[in-house]
Amino acid sequence: TATAILESNAYSDLFKIYVIDFAHTLDNFSSASYNEALVAVAMDSSKSDELRVYAAHDIDTSMVSNPVAVYETLYDDASSMDDKMLMLKDIGFVDPAAARELSLDVLDNYESYESRIVTMANKAYVRSINGEQELIDDIIARNREMMEPFVLREIERNGCVLALSELEEPEAVELILSLPNLDELSGKYELVERNISGVMSFLEKQDSSTVKKIIEAIPVEQFIPLIKEKLSDNPREMDQVINTIESASSEVLPYATSSNLEGYAIYRDGVGAWELDAWHAG
């Protein structure tokens, strides 16, 4: 039935979007004919961008000989940067290198785009690296350039931090933890969660005043043993920092993330989606 609806001219684009959205909720829903219909809709330039993106996002890549070609077509055709970034994200799952090349369209001209668009392109690049040192050096240099200007808004710095937090490199950790406004950045917690070993390694090399400053900006319980070690000669100061950590831990609610990080909510991905890296409708 879903296939017949997508292939028919008797239904509106909006109704077809409802059908695609509903079909996606069904467990183990897979059909060669339905998948072919999705590809046909995605490649049909007479259809609305919204319908085409919905269709492309929902194709089963295992049933398509060249899914990147479908995504790249939508990336090129879409008028909305949100649509382009969704296609960029999908390309990253099947061809990270291709996604990286497309991300450069944004990163080379980051000042011309909204911060969330830059963040998504930044993440696409980071996720494509796979340990290649030349690429690691390049993305760190790009983020250093983006974060250094004093006029850069907090939300833009947050985006850089969120992308670099996925990069388990000492230089990335140092770049983030050396930011002067670290206490104002929300992405700092993702850095600790994803790269605790790198963060601990960095902190262990710092003097007690630097450690205290960073931990007060990121008050998480994992740092308590380090505080006890670094401030052992100043029990009062040590207790103050530990109290700050325990107080923050009791007040901060855990992030509410989707059980399926690739949940189907294309036009409902809000700030929480790209900040927390959980693609859900919240």
Side-chain angles (χ1 to χ4, degrees):
T1 301
T3 301
I5 290 172
L6 292 185
E7 291 177 341
S8 172
N9 292 322
Y11 304 96
S12 69
D13 286 1
L14 181 59
F15 184 72
K16 291 180 180 181
I17 289 171
Y18 290 151
V19 170
I20 294 171
D21 208 11
F22 176 68
H24 189 87
T25 68
L26 303 177
D27 293 334
N28 302 315
F29 182 80
S30 182
S31 160
S33 61
Y34 175 69
N35 204 63
E36 289 174 3
L38 287 175
V39 172
V41 168
M43 300 297 281
D44 187 348
S45 59
S46 68
K47 304 299 182 185
S48 67
D49 282 357
E50 186 176 14
L51 172 58
R52 294 179 67 195
V53 169
Y54 254 79
H57 186 62
D58 213 43
I59 63 176
D60 182 343
T61 56
S62 67
M63 294 184 178
V64 182
S65 59
N66 189 1
V68 173
V70 178
Y71 297 140
E72 286 184 332
T73 297
L74 267 294
Y75 181 91
D76 292 337
D77 290 355
S79 56
S80 161
M81 282 304 300
D82 289 296
D83 290 343
K84 286 181 180 292
M85 289 301 103
L86 183 65
M87 292 299 95
L88 178 67
K89 178 170 171 280
D90 286 343
I91 291 169
F93 287 125
V94 291
D95 191 341
R100 180 177 65 249
E101 290 303 310
L102 289 175
S103 75
L104 295 177
D105 293 345
V106 173
L107 296 179
D108 285 343
N109 302 284
Y110 66 89
E111 294 173 317
S112 303
Y113 294 96
E114 293 181 51
S115 58
R116 61 196 177 90
I117 300 301
V118 177
T119 298
M120 295 168 82
N122 210 351
K123 284 188 172 186
Y125 191 123
V126 168
R127 292 169 180 175
S128 75
I129 288 175
N130 195 28
E132 296 179 60
Q133 191 60 50
E134 182 178 352
L135 298 178
I136 291 171
D137 294 343
D138 181 57
I139 197 61
I140 289 177
R142 287 174 180 275
N143 278 273
R144 190 186 305 279
E145 178 187 344
M146 286 189 280
M147 288 195 287
E148 279 185 348
F150 179 75
V151 296
L152 195 66
R153 293 177 301 167
E154 177 186 336
I155 191 170
E156 292 166 333
R157 285 181 183 257
N158 277 336
C160 293
V161 171
L162 287 163
L164 287 179
S165 69
E166 300 187 18
L167 190 62
E168 296 183 8
E169 288 294 319
E171 192 176 351
V173 171
E174 180 179 356
L175 178 58
I176 294 171
L177 295 182
S178 299
L179 289 172
N181 62 337
L182 183 62
D183 59 325
E184 300 174 6
L185 299 174
S186 60
K188 59 196 176 184
Y189 292 104
E190 279 71 30
L191 172 68
V192 174
E193 180 181 351
R194 294 170 177 165
N195 198 2
I196 183 63
S197 60
V199 171
M200 293 297 287
S201 177
F202 174 82
L203 291 176
E204 287 168 357
K205 299 174 184 176
Q206 309 306 310
D207 59 36
S208 59
S209 62
T210 301
V211 170
K212 179 175 178 289
K213 178 182 177 182
I214 292 173
I215 291 179
E216 286 179 337
I218 317 176
V220 295
E221 292 180 339
Q222 294 99 312
F223 293 151
I224 291 179
L226 184 63
I227 280 293
K228 291 180 177 178
E229 174 189 334
K230 290 285 187 178
L231 299 179
S232 59
D233 59 342
N234 192 336
R236 182 176 180 181
E237 189 173 36
M238 177 180 70
D239 288 342
Q240 287 177 342
V241 178
I242 291 175
N243 287 338
T244 298
I245 292 174
E246 291 177 342
S247 175
S249 298
S250 66
E251 293 175 2
V252 177
L253 295 174
Y255 291 134
T257 58
S258 167
S259 59
N260 173 10
L261 294 185
E262 300 310 325
Y264 196 67
I266 297 178
Y267 292 94
R268 290 162 282 170
D269 288 342
V271 172
W274 64 260
E275 270 208 358
L276 302 183
D277 196 29
W279 292 81
H280 58 88

